[in-house]
Each structure stands twice: as structure tokens, then as C-alpha cells.
Amino acid sequence: MKTAPTWLHVLLVLFWTLLGLSLRFANLTGKPLWTDEFSTIAFSLGNGFSDIPLDQVITTENLLQPLRPTPGNGVKDVISQLFRESNHPPLYFVLSHFWLSLFPTNSDGIISTWGIRSLAALIGTITIPATFCLSWLAFRSRVVAQTATALMAVSPFGIYLAQEARHYTLPILVILLSLCCLVIAARKLRDRVILPIWLCLSWIVINGLGIATHYFFAFTLGAEAIVILCLGLVQSWREGGIWHPSVHWRRMWIVAAGTAAAGLIWWPILQNLQEGELTRWIYQGDRAGWAWLDPVGQALAGWITMLYLLPIQTESQWLEALFGVALVLLMLWTVPKLYRGLQVQYLQREPRLGVLVLSVFVVGAIVLFFSITYFFEADLTSAFRYNFVFFPGAVVLLGAGLASSWDVAVRIAQSPAVSVPPALLNLLRVSNRKTVVVIWLLSLLGALTVLANLGYQKTHRPDVVAATIRDQTEYPALVAIPHRTHGQTGRMMGIALELQQQPPPNPVLFLLAHQTQNPDSVITPLEQALSQLSRPLDLWLLNFQEIPEEPLDKVLKAQACTAVSKSRAVDGYRYRLYRCRKLAATKQPPTKSGIGAELLQESFDR
């Protein structure tokens, strides 16, 4: 059977890469920046959030200051601010620091949305040819490699991560490289060949870079360790020993020791993460009843989006339900085809190793996820983005399963060296090339769904809140939010940036009321702010649902603030408008304060 020439495969990889590049950069600035992306900007510039005043009325200028480059800030400032205020390793932020220096700021001196997101999009594009390399190493089949590369180019989940100004596409690229080392090592160990020293050193360096990019890379390492352990146990069992101390295993221990040393560097920082306020959201309380199944449903939903996504975030609830059911039916139709395709791959010697290594890797990572979720009450399934730790392996397995429907059945039928049951071959012939094309087109539709903002919308929607403030505010306004971490600062920044780009007719001020263990702690700064500002005043309360109602209502009544809208909710926000009238003459704030008037005048002047 004649195979396609090499130059054609090179052109195809180039085509998939250019297609993926177009999809990842399309509508890159069409969605609003949200909290985590503001963190990327601030820390990449060597800035922090600690200089933003708390418990004080501030202007847009004060609030958005961390988004402006600070002259003289370098890599040292990036790392120090990151370790002081966040819980992430520094590699991506250092790269982003140099990347942002290539782009001019906008008219307000703020880093552009395109500039901060383009680095992740570019790295996401590089993962496409890297997928070809891993697929070919694992299966020694260009058809499998092309299929997996085509799927990576249009994967809705991959495009979602590539359009986030966050450090997820870089670890995906590192995971692809690490898996390449794993596949090569697995083949060497299977053939009882000593691992080359270049492979050992490369693997250690790659793993070290992965840990320096995202701490969840440890799950990738854990899943790879499970693969190596399984290979060792199987080989030992076949040779009749508990663990056969063959020479070809010795350098594997060097890789393990070098990787462990690279990880231990971060141990002092990791010890502080669990108690950190920034990670508290992921820890769930006691589950009861059907809540025990929530992680399973969340995990399944996240896995589906690696291949398919439909417009499930429309304004119509019945359309959302319809598309949700359609996604489930699509997966029920697809999974048997993938399973049969992987069965065929397993029946061949070289592809068998790829199926085993990547299947154990993906399943191992999933088992680790559920173990942490159920035994340590940290629900890793609640954030789909964390699936990046096994996403590359899953895409290659998808490509291998579909490639069997392309031409493997024909080659197996013509090969006397491989014996496959006729019934299985007939099933594969039913799943023909048209099926592969349909699945790829549906995956492309999912990519377009992400670009159209009908799926994988931003975790927070400051654009919606800002539009409401712009439309309904009749007087100068104060926007207040309880503050615990820079997560709430980022929520406020999103609104301020949207209002700065499309200013409302009246000035808007902001209040970050710091919340301690006592929920009532935000009420005092709110009362002080209201007593300082001129009237009439529109007051927007964001995410005050956890503040005790009785003392809050008492302050609002004393300040002549009356609710003029119902409480509304959108991703990341629950907000309500109050209108504060002039106080009685005896309750007017002292004229010597001047704080409210000065800030309002400053906002008008801008």
C-alpha cells in the first residue's frame, strides 16, 4: 500500500498549525479581562496589588495603577511580588515580563489586552506541531500523528486555554515534551536498552521547567510515575521476579532523583498554599447525598470539551438544555468508535506501547484528581482548566482511536502478520473516513463556539456589570465590594477598565472594604465612605450577600440609601443599585472633609 510522501505530511502539519494559529488569535480581545488575567498583567510587570488603598474611596486611576508598567522594574521585582502576593511559580510570568516589553501601552498607559493574551496564544500554537511529534513517537504512524494534530488545532478546550492570559499553554507544551521522553524511555525499557544520558538529562530539565511553570505539573509527574511503575511490574512479573534489577532500569532512577530534586526547590512555598486565602475556594465542605456525584459530572463535562462544544452559554435556557443533551449524545456516539479504534491499535506491536503508555498516563492523572477531590476535599474538577495536566495525552489517544477508522483497518486486512477478528474489521469499515471528517468538523464547530463567546465564557463577566452601571446610573456613583484577596481587586478592576473604555455620563468611584474574619468589618468603611461623599449618590454593592443584613440595612437606612433595583447575578458578581439622597442638615458631613467632592471633581477632570 503506497504511503504519502514526507513533504505532504510536512505541508499538512504546517496547515494545521496555521489553522490553529488563526483560531487562537481570532477575536483575541473580544472578551473582557478577568481577575486572573489582571494578576498576570500586574505580576508580569513586577507590580502588585498591595499598594491599592483599602477601606478608602479611590478613583479609576488608583485602581488600575498595577496595570501600568513601572520604570525600572525587572525580573527580580516580578519574582518578589509573585512570591509575596500569589501562589504560583515564576517561569511564565518572567517570560511574560519580557514579552510585554515588546508592546506599547494604550492611551491610558495600560498594557493592551492583545499584548498580554498573545503570548499564551502563540505558545498554544506551538503545541500543535509538538502534538505531531508525540503522536509519531508513540504510534510510529503518520496517520495517527496527523489526526491528533488536526484535533489539537481545533480543540475547543485548547483554544479556550490559549486565549487566556494565563500560564496553561506553557505547561501543556512542557507536558508534550515530557511525554515524548516518557514514550522513548518506555520503548527503551521494553526492549531492555539502557536509557541514553541525553534523554535522562533532557527529561530532568523538562520536568524542572514544568514544575517552575505550574505546581499542578506534579500531577503529570505522578501519572508518569504510575506508567513507569506499571511497566516495571509487568516486566518483573514476566521475568519471575518481584522487581528485576536489570541494568537498563538504573538510569530511570537518575531521572526520578533529578526530577524530585527539581521539585523540592519549591517545597517551602507549597507548604503555605493550603492555608492561603487564594486557594480557599477550591476546598469543599462535607458532601451529602447527590453532592458526592458532582465531581464526576463536572469531570465528564470538562473531558467532553476537549473534543466537542456547542453553544451552551446562550441567553435561552431551553437552547442551553438542548445543546447540552446534544453534547451528551455526541459523546455516546463517539466513545464506542474511539474504543474500537484503540482496540485495533493495541493489536499491533508498535502502537500497542503507545496505547498502553498514554492510556495509563491519562487514567492515572484522573485517578489522582479524584483522589485529591474525595480524600482531601479539594475539588479539582470544579475548574476545567486544571485538566491541562493530561490534556495532551488525551488528544493523542483521540487521534489514535480515530486514525483506525481512516486506514488502519485496510492495512490490517492486507497484512498476514496481524490477526484481527472479522467482526471488528467490519465495525471499523462502518466507522469510515467520513466519520472522522464529521467528528473533526464538529470539533471545529466547538472552536467557533468558543470564539463566538457562546461557550467557555470568561469566569467573571465585568462587561455585563459595567454595562448595567453605565445604563442605570443617574448620579455620581460609588461601587463597593468586600475585599479579602486581590481576587476581589481584580473583579473591581474589570469593571473599572470597562467603564474607562466606555465612560458613563457621571464619574464612578470605588471602595475595597477589607473583610476580616468578622463579616461586619466591611460595614464601617462603607459607612465612612458614604458619610464623605456628596449627594445624591448612586451606590452599587457587589457581592455583599455574605454580609449580615441587619447591620448593613441599618447603615444604609441611616445614610438615606434606598434600593432601586433587585439583586442581580452574573458570573463572578451579585450586584444591586441603591440611591442615596441628601441627608438632613444635622447629618451632613463636615465641609472640611472635602474628600468626596475632590475625588468626584478629579474624576470629572479626567
Side-chain angles (χ1 to χ4, degrees), residues 451-473:
L451 299 182
N453 206 25
L454 296 175
Y456 270 128
Q457 292 179 353
K458 293 301 179 184
T459 305
H460 302 156
R461 296 298 306 274
D463 54 326
V464 175
V465 182
T468 305
I469 292 175
R470 190 183 301 112
D471 294 341
Q472 297 188 10
T473 297

Side-chain angles (χ1 to χ4, degrees), residues 91 174-175 177-178 181 197-213 217 221 254-263 266:
L91 182 57
V174 177
I175 290 167
L177 298 177
S178 185
C181 295
I197 194 66
W198 66 264
L199 175 64
C200 298
L201 296 177
S202 299
W203 202 356
I204 292 171
V205 171
I206 289 168
N207 290 343
L209 292 175
I211 299 171
T213 305
F217 187 81
L221 297 178
I254 296 177
V255 175
T259 300
W266 307 99

Side-chain angles (χ1 to χ4, degrees), residues 60-97:
T60 301
E61 181 79 12
N62 304 134
L63 184 57
L64 299 181
Q65 187 58 42
L67 309 183
R68 298 180 175 90
T70 301
N73 276 3
V75 171
K76 182 179 179 181
D77 301 284
V78 174
I79 296 175
S80 62
Q81 285 288 357
L82 190 66
F83 286 170
R84 186 179 299 117
E85 298 187 28
S86 187
N87 52 13
H88 294 295
L91 182 57
Y92 181 82
F93 297 90
V94 171
L95 292 177
S96 183
H97 174 76

Side-chain angles (χ1 to χ4, degrees), residues 69-215:
T70 301
N73 276 3
V75 171
K76 182 179 179 181
D77 301 284
V78 174
I79 296 175
S80 62
Q81 285 288 357
L82 190 66
F83 286 170
R84 186 179 299 117
E85 298 187 28
S86 187
N87 52 13
H88 294 295
L91 182 57
Y92 181 82
F93 297 90
V94 171
L95 292 177
S96 183
H97 174 76
F98 292 112
W99 180 260
L100 290 177
S101 66
L102 303 176
F103 299 92
T105 58
N106 60 26
S107 58
D108 297 308
I110 296 174
I111 290 296
S112 69
T113 303
W114 196 94
I116 191 61
R117 286 179 176 166
S118 56
L119 177 59
L122 179 62
I123 297 174
T125 302
I126 299 173
T127 63
I128 298 171
T131 300
F132 181 90
C133 296
L134 173 60
S135 306
W136 187 86
L137 286 172
F139 293 92
R140 297 296 174 89
S141 166
R142 291 178 177 177
V143 175
V144 172
Q146 291 290 356
T147 307
T149 305
L151 291 176
M152 179 61 84
V154 300
S155 168
F157 179 72
I159 290 172
Y160 150 65
L161 291 183
Q163 292 199 324
E164 287 267 295
R166 295 297 287 163
H167 50 172
Y168 296 113
T169 54
L170 182 57
I172 288 174
L173 178 59
V174 177
I175 290 167
L176 282 164
L177 298 177
S178 185
L179 288 177
C180 286
C181 295
L182 175 66
V183 168
I184 296 172
R187 185 167 283 111
K188 297 289 185 183
L189 295 173
R190 181 199 65 182
D191 298 338
R192 290 161 177 78
V193 176
I194 297 176
L195 272 61
I197 194 66
W198 66 264
L199 175 64
C200 298
L201 296 177
S202 299
W203 202 356
I204 292 171
V205 171
I206 289 168
N207 290 343
L209 292 175
I211 299 171
T213 305
H214 201 290
Y215 293 130

Side-chain angles (χ1 to χ4, degrees), residues 269-341:
I269 301 173
L270 286 170
Q271 286 182 305
N272 297 325
L273 291 185
Q274 182 172 353
E275 299 302 324
E277 187 70 35
L278 291 170
T279 57
R280 197 175 301 278
W281 65 271
I282 204 170
Y283 291 93
Q284 306 294 323
D286 294 335
R287 294 185 178 90
W290 290 104
W292 282 96
L293 296 179
D294 287 347
V296 177
Q298 292 167 169
L300 290 172
W303 301 343
I304 289 174
T305 63
M306 294 182 184
L307 184 62
Y308 295 132
L309 185 61
L310 294 174
I312 57 173
Q313 290 183 293
T314 65
E315 295 182 358
S316 171
Q317 291 186 350
W318 72 268
L319 279 178
E320 289 182 0
L322 178 64
F323 287 129
V325 172
L327 278 176
V328 174
L329 295 176
L330 272 177
M331 287 308 300
L332 293 176
W333 171 72
T334 305
V335 168
K337 301 179 186 300
L338 296 173
Y339 177 73
R340 291 193 294 265

Side-chain angles (χ1 to χ4, degrees), residues 399-475:
L402 291 180
S404 297
S405 299
W406 192 262
D407 74 341
V408 172
V410 176
R411 289 193 286 109
I412 290 177
Q414 295 175 347
S415 174
V418 180
S419 176
V420 179
L424 183 55
L425 281 176
N426 289 333
L427 285 172
L428 284 172
R429 290 190 181 99
V430 172
S431 300
N432 53 23
R433 297 184 177 190
K434 292 181 181 178
T435 301
V436 179
V437 173
V438 169
I439 290 175
W440 184 85
L441 289 174
L442 288 171
S443 190
L444 175 61
L445 176 61
L448 299 177
T449 298
V450 176
L451 299 182
N453 206 25
L454 296 175
Y456 270 128
Q457 292 179 353
K458 293 301 179 184
T459 305
H460 302 156
R461 296 298 306 274
D463 54 326
V464 175
V465 182
T468 305
I469 292 175
R470 190 183 301 112
D471 294 341
Q472 297 188 10
T473 297
E474 297 181 4
Y475 302 102

